[in-house]
């Protein structure tokens, strides 16, 4: 099993964290987004969208991070997909929420404050930052309310926790504050404290060392 990814990416972080949590062995293949490696012809043969991550398992070539997480959970078990229909609906709700709302808001800020600085693409657009930061604050309020009285999003630890926590792990680097969201902060500490998540975050830091010099 090979995982083509750029470990700093939050969508790659969540796949790595799930793989580590489930004890899945994989061969990592580094795809340096800053060097536009995802646009190379050999990579586009795997994913014509030019995006990471991509999982190759025998003759299966699978892209889209949520699909990869679900595939790993289905293949390897481990309890990260709840058994009841209601809990599965909660899982799907938060996976969709991350893709449709949280991800775009955080990606916009990360591009302006992190990617532009590292790639020399000019000054941050403060208008974009302000609008996306406001979206982030609103979304965090929604999540904080949902986490009141529960340890994890779908009741027990699930794929949703890894998906959202991987994005929220970028908040400090992006200058996005979690102050005022106590339930969210407690949940994030709980998820990021897992060995699997720690490994994924260490991978993310290692991937960025050549670019931080």
């Amino acid at each position: 099993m090979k995982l083509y990814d750029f470990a700093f990416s939050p969508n790659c972080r969540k796949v790595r964290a799930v793989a580590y949590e489930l004890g899945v062995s994989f061969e990592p293949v580094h795809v340096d987004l800053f060097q536009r490696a995802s646009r190379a012809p050999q990579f586009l043969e795997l994913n014509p969208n030019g995006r990471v991550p991509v999982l190759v398992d025998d003759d299966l070539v699978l892209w889209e991070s949520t699909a990869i997480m679900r595939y790993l959970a289905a293949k390897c078990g481990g309890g990260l997909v709840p058994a009841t229909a209601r809990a599965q609906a909660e899982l799907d709700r938060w996976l969709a929420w991350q893709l449709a709302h949280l991800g775009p808001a955080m990606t916009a800020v990360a591009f302006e404050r992190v990617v532009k600085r590292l790639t020399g693409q000019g000054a941050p657009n403060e208008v974009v930052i302000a609008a996306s930061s406001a979206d982030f604050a609103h979304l965090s309020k929604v999540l904080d309310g949902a986490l009141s009285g529960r340890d994890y999003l779908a009741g027990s630890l699930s794929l949703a926790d890894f998906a959202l926590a991987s994005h929220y792990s970028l908040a400090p680097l992006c200058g996005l504050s979690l102050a005022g969201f106590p339930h969210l902060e407690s949940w994030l500490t709980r998820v990021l404290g897992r060995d699997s998540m720690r490994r994924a975050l260490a991978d993310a830091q290692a991937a960025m060392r050549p670019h931080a010099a």
Side-chain angles (χ1 to χ4, degrees):
M1 189 180 293
K2 290 184 178 182
L3 179 65
Y4 293 76
D5 75 346
F6 183 58
F8 182 76
S9 157
N11 283 326
C12 296
R13 294 183 191 199
K14 68 188 186 186
V15 169
R16 285 187 175 235
V18 166
Y20 292 146
E21 185 74 22
L22 296 174
V24 176
S25 297
F26 63 89
E27 177 186 343
V29 181
H30 181 61
V31 181
D32 194 330
L33 299 186
F34 290 117
Q35 298 297 322
R36 296 183 59 81
S38 65
R39 300 296 173 178
Q42 59 268 34
F43 183 82
L44 292 173
E45 290 181 4
L46 295 174
N47 184 0
N49 300 295
R51 294 180 178 272
V52 289
V54 176
L55 183 75
V56 178
D57 188 17
D58 292 328
D59 62 345
L60 172 67
V61 178
L62 184 63
W63 24 269
E64 296 301 323
S65 56
T66 298
I68 294 172
M69 289 195 305
R70 279 198 166 276
Y71 175 73
L72 293 176
K75 182 173 181 176
C76 304
L80 294 182
V81 175
T84 69
R86 181 165 182 166
Q88 286 181 19
E90 287 285 4
L91 166 65
D92 288 334
R93 179 216 303 268
W94 291 110
L95 289 176
W97 186 84
Q98 181 261 298
L99 293 169
H101 304 293
L102 180 66
M106 294 197 70
T107 296
V109 178
F111 177 77
E112 296 297 332
R113 284 185 168 160
V114 180
V115 176
K116 278 188 172 181
R117 173 173 55 83
L118 292 173
T119 58
Q121 296 186 50
N125 185 322
E126 297 299 334
V127 174
V128 171
I129 290 174
S132 297
S133 296
D135 288 343
F136 174 81
H138 169 72
L139 294 167
S140 295
K141 183 178 180 180
V142 171
L143 182 59
D144 187 69
L147 286 165
S148 178
R150 65 172 68 182
D151 288 339
Y152 300 108
L153 287 163
S156 59
L157 182 70
S158 73
L159 298 177
D161 298 293
F162 289 101
L164 271 65
S166 294
H167 280 74
Y168 270 102
S169 67
L170 274 173
L173 183 63
C174 295
L176 294 167
S177 175
L178 299 181
F181 307 118
H183 306 302
L184 194 164
E185 285 191 289
S186 295
W187 161 82
L188 186 60
T189 299
R190 192 176 304 117
V191 179
L192 296 186
R194 299 188 70 83
D195 288 343
S196 55
M197 200 72 235
R198 288 178 183 271
R199 289 180 65 185
L201 294 180
D203 293 346
Q205 292 178 348
M208 287 300 292
R209 287 193 190 109
H211 304 285

